[in-house]
Amino acid sequence: SSWNPLFQAMKREVSAAFNSGGPEDILSRGFKLNVTREDICTLQPQGWLNDKIMNFYMSLLVERSKKEGYPSVYAFNTFFYSKLSSTSHKGVKKWTKGVDIFEHDIILVPIHLRIHWTLLVVDLREKTIKYFDSLGQKGDHVCKTVLKYLEEESREKRNIELTASEWTLHSMGTEEIPQQDNGSDCGVFVCKFADFISRDKPIIFRAEHMPYFRKKMVWEIIHQQLL
């Protein structure tokens, strides 16, 4: 019961974020991003999350991973994969300037496929590349593209050859991960896949949790703090 006033205050804050003010009002600043009310409104029911919301949330996951007890996480931004797939490694090699991605445990690659969000996850500890799609489509070609990128990045940045045969590539099946039941929740699914994976937690949420996750994400982005 002591939580109830707090919960009500949070609900009021989320409601105000959607409703009080102009679309260009900046509600959160961080990670070289300005999140406006218009961006936040993509988190309303049935809204399609935009790049800014996706990238801000991924940055929050990376920040959290710097705390004790969490696996170390690196996240590419949402424009990385489309650039990689159209230009190969040479087109994106500057994106990791001054960063050794191989020093991390987990690499998150959010992917925008025209009107659908999916997630690719590299686990450097296990040598696995997994593809998460809440509409159940396979992404074997995406896994192969990213493995080739990792091979070239490793060769160029640290002069180490990756052995491709040691790696397991896998598109998660519809029986392995929850699936969306509408045409708009793919971005929230990607954010929550990334949230659970970046805590080494099993993915136990379901489609019915999406309205709650949307509100929670509004609060987290405004406060730049994951609950």
Side-chain angles (χ1 to χ4, degrees):
S1 60
S2 63
W3 281 92
N4 206 29
L6 184 64
F7 188 63
Q8 294 306 324
M10 288 164 91
K11 267 170 72 171
R12 283 196 297 276
E13 225 176 326
V14 171
S15 176
F18 288 145
N19 300 316
S20 5
E24 64 295 327
D25 296 348
I26 292 169
L27 302 189
S28 194
R29 278 192 179 88
F31 318 113
K32 300 182 183 156
L33 293 167
N34 289 336
V35 177
T36 64
R37 190 178 314 281
E38 190 173 11
D39 298 320
I40 284 287
C41 281
T42 68
L43 282 160
Q44 286 181 306
Q46 311 303 313
W48 290 19
L49 272 57
N50 66 13
D51 290 283
K52 220 186 276 183
I53 293 293
M54 300 295 285
N55 287 323
F56 202 97
Y57 192 79
M58 294 292 154
S59 299
L60 287 175
L61 297 178
V62 169
E63 279 304 302
R64 180 179 65 191
S65 84
K66 295 171 184 172
K67 293 183 187 164
E68 183 111 11
Y70 287 95
S72 167
V73 175
Y74 183 84
F76 280 106
N77 87 20
T78 52
F79 305 105
F80 169 78
Y81 182 76
S82 56
K83 182 77 171 165
L84 170 66
S85 55
S86 62
T87 64
S88 79
H89 181 266
K90 65 179 179 295
V92 292
K93 68 179 185 185
K94 290 202 177 91
W95 290 45
T96 51
K97 199 168 179 243
V99 177
D100 181 358
I101 59 172
F102 298 97
E103 286 179 349
H104 298 80
D105 298 317
I106 293 168
I107 300 170
L108 302 171
V109 187
I111 296 170
H112 199 205
L113 304 167
R114 289 194 301 282
I115 55 164
H116 182 50
W117 288 107
T118 65
L119 179 70
L120 182 133
V121 178
V122 180
D123 191 322
L124 290 156
R125 304 163 296 182
E126 308 278 339
K127 294 189 179 172
T128 61
I129 300 177
K130 291 180 179 173
Y131 184 73
F132 293 75
D133 186 339
S134 54
L135 285 178
Q137 293 157 341
K138 296 276 175 237
D140 300 348
H141 63 291
V142 182
C143 295
K144 285 180 187 145
T145 301
V146 170
L147 179 58
K148 191 168 187 307
Y149 164 81
L150 291 173
E151 289 178 82
E152 291 172 357
E153 179 80 356
S154 180
R155 192 178 301 130
E156 196 145 309
K157 292 282 174 71
R158 46 179 208 159
N159 214 8
I160 296 173
E161 291 291 331
L162 287 193
T163 310
S165 59
E166 293 175 353
W167 284 73
T168 306
L169 279 50
H170 177 61
S171 292
M172 302 296 279
T174 52
E175 70 295 335
E176 294 177 278
I177 55 170
Q179 300 289 292
Q180 66 192 90
D181 56 8
N182 61 23
S184 53
D185 277 341
C186 54
V188 188
F189 269 86
V190 163
C191 289
K192 297 319 287 186
F193 287 147
D195 169 26
F196 279 65
I197 290 160
S198 64
R199 290 182 283 140
D200 280 335
K201 295 292 184 217
I203 293 166
I204 51 169
F205 60 83
R206 294 186 300 279
E208 70 236 37
H209 297 122
M210 293 299 129
Y212 163 69
F213 285 151
R214 282 175 177 271
K215 294 191 192 92
K216 184 166 175 257
M217 285 174 68
V218 171
W219 193 93
E220 290 172 326
I221 288 169
I222 289 172
H223 288 270
Q224 301 181 22
Q225 177 194 345
L226 294 169
L227 290 166

